[in-house]
Amino acid sequence: MASNQYAVAQQTAGALATNKVLRNTYLLLSMTLLFSGATAGVSMAMNLPHPGMILTLVGYFGLLFLTNALRNSIWGLAAVFALTGFMGLTLGPILSQYIQAFANGSQLVLTAFGGTGAIFLGLSGYAVTTKKDFSFLGGFIFVGIMVAFLAGLAAALFSMPVLSLVVSGAFILLMSGLILWETSQIIHGGETNYIMATVSLFVAIFNLFLSLLHILAAVAGQER
């Protein structure tokens, strides 16, 4: 009897901890998305130039490393906002470029934004309600991201538009898988740090949005 009560208490404590991580993750994710959107808006309003591929990668991976190092302290929150704010600053010039290059640029951006929101809500809602274990996707996603990242660099360096579109399509699938995987990790106790869970989901949403925007522009963009 006592052992059964102890087991129930453990399960209850585990469920409460999981719900807390999930709640904190979604709260922090909402705040970082708003902050990133604000910094992107500032970047567009000030007509800031894009920092370039090298500075973007150095800033991203540097702040990502800093966030990971500080993930268990209060400074981890500051690092998360620094990372997502920086990503917003780099996003602003990209959005300005689409809006200026295409007559329906604003529509493309809004469509990509709506599509990203619908995909995220649908996938995360599915993972939460079904509570399916998507841990098996972890290795495939990691390898896929590495391959797609390198292919994307090659497409940018050697101006290969077809390869660039293929990479965008691959990233849509990979980021969708990452959303399922990370949400599943939280639900099943594989991820207990809401700061790192937020970073993972934010990066998935960010890349999903850019990939959708790229494909939409190629398919439905009306060049000026």
Side-chain angles (χ1 to χ4, degrees), residues 96-158:
S96 295
Q97 184 178 7
Y98 276 99
I99 292 173
Q100 293 168 7
F102 297 95
N104 60 338
S106 297
Q107 181 181 352
L108 293 174
V109 171
L110 291 175
T111 302
F113 179 79
T116 301
I119 292 173
F120 173 75
L121 291 175
L123 292 175
S124 59
Y126 177 77
V128 170
T129 54
T130 64
K131 293 182 170 55
K132 287 187 176 181
D133 187 359
F134 291 98
S135 59
F136 65 91
L137 292 175
F140 169 77
I141 293 172
F142 176 77
V143 174
I145 289 175
M146 291 297 296
V147 173
F149 176 73
L150 293 175
L153 286 179
L157 291 174
F158 300 105

Side-chain angles (χ1 to χ4, degrees), residues 1-16:
M1 184 68 177
S3 62
N4 290 338
Q5 290 178 337
Y6 178 72
V8 171
Q10 277 189 318
Q11 291 177 353
T12 302
L16 290 174

Side-chain angles (χ1 to χ4, degrees), residues 34-130:
L34 289 173
F35 183 66
S36 180
T39 57
V42 170
S43 179
M44 295 174 69
M46 297 180 64
N47 199 26
L48 296 178
H50 193 273
M53 183 185 298
I54 295 178
L55 185 57
T56 298
L57 292 177
V58 170
Y60 169 72
F61 284 109
L63 289 170
L64 184 62
F65 176 81
L66 179 65
T67 303
N68 184 64
L70 300 174
R71 65 186 183 278
N72 294 318
S73 72
I74 190 66
W75 293 106
L77 291 173
V80 168
F81 280 100
L83 171 62
T84 55
F86 174 77
M87 293 176 73
L89 287 175
T90 63
L91 177 63
I94 297 175
L95 297 182
S96 295
Q97 184 178 7
Y98 276 99
I99 292 173
Q100 293 168 7
F102 297 95
N104 60 338
S106 297
Q107 181 181 352
L108 293 174
V109 171
L110 291 175
T111 302
F113 179 79
T116 301
I119 292 173
F120 173 75
L121 291 175
L123 292 175
S124 59
Y126 177 77
V128 170
T129 54
T130 64

Side-chain angles (χ1 to χ4, degrees), residues 53 57 144-171 174 207 211 214:
M53 183 185 298
L57 292 177
I145 289 175
M146 291 297 296
V147 173
F149 176 73
L150 293 175
L153 286 179
L157 291 174
F158 300 105
S159 299
M160 303 169 67
V162 175
L163 178 58
S164 181
L165 283 175
V166 172
V167 170
S168 292
F171 261 107
L174 289 168
N207 285 303
S211 298
H214 185 202

